[in-house]
């Protein structure tokens, strides 16, 4: 497997991975499905904004997951802090792909002027919380009932990694 920057040719796979999460999980709190055109524009916007979109490509060319980061909050004082996301296609979870993507994203961020990576994780997603902890993220706290999906309130655990 290799980790590489995403191109517009990867938008179909990224869209499928993300839309599956929209429809089936609380890993993302969106309810609107995205189109391939949405994801092409999103990849371009991220790249133009200095934010990478990385993909995990299997030897057969299959895109198994993606990772990115973007602005955490508006305001000049937050310019050295970003929030990231890592998503792996359902049939490839539990194989270390998320860890490889997140490690590559951390390494990329360390080569910039960023100071902190933020993770917002649905509080029941213990696999993600454990992965982040293994890579040095510390838990900052849990915000209770700040989101809703599938007719229930969701808690958000915030974790951070200081890069330097």
């Amino acid at each position: 497997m290799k980790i590489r920057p995403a191109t517009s040719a990867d938008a179909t796979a990224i869209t499928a991975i993300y839309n599956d999460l929209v429809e089936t999980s609380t890993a993302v709190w969106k309810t609107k499905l995205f189109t391939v055109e949405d994801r092409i524009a999103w990849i371009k916007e991220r790249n133009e904004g200095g934010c990478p979109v990385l993909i995990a490509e299997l030897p057969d060319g299959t895109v198994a997951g993606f990772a990115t980061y973007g602005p955490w909050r508006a305001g000049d004082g937050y310019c050295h802090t970003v929030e990231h996301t890592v998503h792996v296609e359902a049939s490839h979870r539990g194989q270390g792909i998320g860890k490889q993507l997140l490690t590559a994203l951390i390494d990329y961020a360390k080569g910039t002027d960023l100071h902190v990576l933020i993770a917002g994780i649905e509080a029941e997603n213990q696999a993600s919380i454990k992965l982040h902890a293994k890579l040095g993220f510390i838990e900052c706290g849990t915000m209770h009932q700040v989101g809703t999906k599938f007719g229930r309130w969701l808690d958000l655990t915030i974790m951070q990694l200081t890069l330097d």
Side-chain angles (χ1 to χ4, degrees), residues 52-146:
V53 179
L54 304 177
I55 64 157
E57 182 179 35
L58 300 178
D60 67 1
T62 300
V63 174
F66 69 95
T68 188
Y69 59 68
W72 179 55
R73 295 189 69 175
D76 296 340
Y78 297 108
C79 67
H80 299 286
T81 300
V82 292
E83 184 174 6
H84 74 278
T85 189
V86 176
H87 298 299
V88 176
E89 194 273 330
S91 68
H92 297 292
R93 292 184 194 134
Q95 300 173 20
I97 294 169
K99 181 179 180 182
Q100 290 181 58
L101 279 165
L102 185 51
T103 299
L105 198 64
I106 291 166
D107 290 344
Y108 185 96
K110 284 181 177 178
T112 69
D113 66 346
L114 294 175
H115 183 61
V116 172
L117 287 180
I118 300 287
I121 305 167
E122 197 276 322
E124 292 182 6
N125 188 344
Q126 289 301 304
S128 184
I129 291 169
K130 288 176 183 175
L131 168 63
H132 283 79
K134 283 181 187 175
L135 294 178
F137 284 76
I138 58 168
E139 193 169 321
C140 301
T142 298
M143 302 168 69
H144 299 280
Q145 299 184 1
V146 295

Side-chain angles (χ1 to χ4, degrees), residues 2 4 6 13 27-28 43 46 51 57-58 78-79 84 88 94 97 145 147-149 158 160 164:
K2 67 179 174 181
R4 64 168 175 80
V28 296
I43 291 167
R46 288 286 166 129
C51 298
E57 182 179 35
L58 300 178
Y78 297 108
C79 67
H84 74 278
V88 176
I97 294 169
Q145 299 184 1
T148 184
K149 192 167 180 186
I158 304 296
Q160 79 172 62
D164 54 10

